[in-house]
Amino acid sequence: MKSLTLSVSVAVPPAVVAGFVRDPLNLPIWAPAFCRSVSFVRGEWVVQSPAGAVTLAFVPDNPYGVLDHTVRLPGGQEVCNPMRVLPQGDGSEVMFTLFRQEGQQDDELEQDAERLYSDLQTLRQVLELLVVNDLSRWQLLSTELPPDADAQDEEPRRKTELHRVFTFASFADAMAFMQGAVPKIAALDHHPRWENRWCEVAVWLSTWSDGWKPSQADIDLARYLDALRAGFPAVADEVSNLA
């Protein structure tokens, strides 16, 4: 059986990569070609894929970087996907082996490999965005956008946003935080989507002109908001998204 092994280097420690990958809720963020949405149904992770609803199961958590997972297709066929994350200096090497399925032609395997390599590059970009820029308290959210009436293809469009909920000791502190951010927001000329809920301020950052993905302006604003939050009294806050 013919196979292809693809790899990508990621400037993030292996434990962080493994923890992010094995959480199925992160799949729509880094593997949008495979996963349009995911939910936990009757003890199984169900992925809405181009082939229909499939189930996904990773091997048990382990310290060896083994991320093998089994996908059960709508017809009941099970496909095992070997995946590894290995130490490489201060970072990692992520490897994924793709096997040719029964009846699959070489050109179809190559197309699958191209989509997989694109997903691995997205994984690298996502993790380096959060870790290298010290945004571990932020999440990346991925949602499907309404179809573009002018678009000729039917590929679903997605919006990826940086998201964090800031928690404060009082409503007054939450308001002071928002007011304190206004000069920086005006200087960047880049406005967040945010809302206040009593002692919380929820923020979403994305740039439509960059294809509804976080831009450098979003990163700069996220880091500024983190620094601004540090000037207020500490309270129980959200945990690191990459812990």
Side-chain angles (χ1 to χ4, degrees):
M1 179 182 292
K2 183 176 180 180
S3 66
L4 296 172
T5 297
L6 307 177
S7 67
V8 64
S9 298
V10 184
V12 173
V16 175
V17 177
F20 187 85
V21 169
R22 71 166 46 259
D23 184 349
L25 292 175
N26 291 326
L27 268 174
I29 298 171
W30 71 269
F34 166 64
C35 177
R36 294 175 178 173
S37 65
V38 61
S39 56
F40 194 63
V41 181
R42 299 187 182 94
E44 294 184 309
W45 287 103
V46 179
V47 173
Q48 297 301 325
S49 76
V54 303
T55 63
L56 173 76
F58 279 92
V59 297
D61 194 6
N62 62 86
Y64 309 112
V66 177
L67 296 170
D68 296 357
H69 51 281
T70 300
V71 175
R72 188 168 70 245
L73 302 176
Q77 177 188 6
E78 292 191 345
V79 179
C80 180
N81 299 295
M83 188 174 186
R84 301 287 191 277
V85 54
L86 303 176
Q88 186 191 69
D90 294 332
S92 306
E93 189 73 13
V94 180
M95 298 183 296
F96 194 114
T97 298
L98 189 65
F99 291 107
R100 179 167 61 185
Q101 301 305 305
E102 184 177 353
Q104 188 178 39
Q105 301 300 312
D106 285 349
D107 60 336
E108 294 173 322
L109 179 63
E110 292 291 341
Q111 290 172 7
D112 282 351
E114 290 177 4
R115 286 190 288 266
L116 173 59
Y117 187 70
S118 175
D119 285 346
L120 291 177
Q121 289 293 336
T122 300
L123 175 65
R124 176 187 63 79
Q125 294 166 1
V126 166
L127 286 167
E128 291 181 354
L129 168 69
L130 294 175
V131 176
V132 174
N133 290 288
D134 194 25
L135 299 178
S136 62
R137 287 187 175 273
W138 291 77
Q139 294 176 290
L140 277 171
L141 304 181
S142 179
T143 55
E144 193 166 312
L145 291 167
D148 187 344
D150 297 326
Q152 297 301 312
D153 58 55
E154 299 181 358
E155 189 72 20
R157 300 184 306 138
R158 303 196 71 84
K159 174 171 63 175
T160 302
E161 299 172 289
L162 281 167
H163 173 62
R164 182 180 175 185
V165 177
F166 295 89
T167 305
F168 297 88
S170 67
F171 173 74
D173 281 352
M175 288 293 96
F177 171 80
M178 297 179 80
Q179 288 294 328
V182 168
K184 181 67 172 182
I185 292 170
L188 289 173
D189 193 23
H190 191 69
H191 304 89
R193 178 166 72 94
W194 61 358
E195 65 181 44
N196 165 245
R197 299 190 298 261
W198 188 235
C199 296
E200 295 180 340
V201 176
V203 182
W204 296 263
L205 301 173
S206 188
T207 301
W208 69 267
S209 58
D210 271 18
W212 286 115
K213 296 178 181 178
S215 64
Q216 187 60 50
D218 294 307
I219 294 169
D220 292 344
L221 183 53
R223 296 181 69 177
Y224 175 79
L225 293 176
D226 282 349
L228 183 64
R229 170 64 186 85
F232 289 84
V235 295
D237 204 351
E238 77 274 20
V239 298
S240 167
N241 185 47
L242 298 175

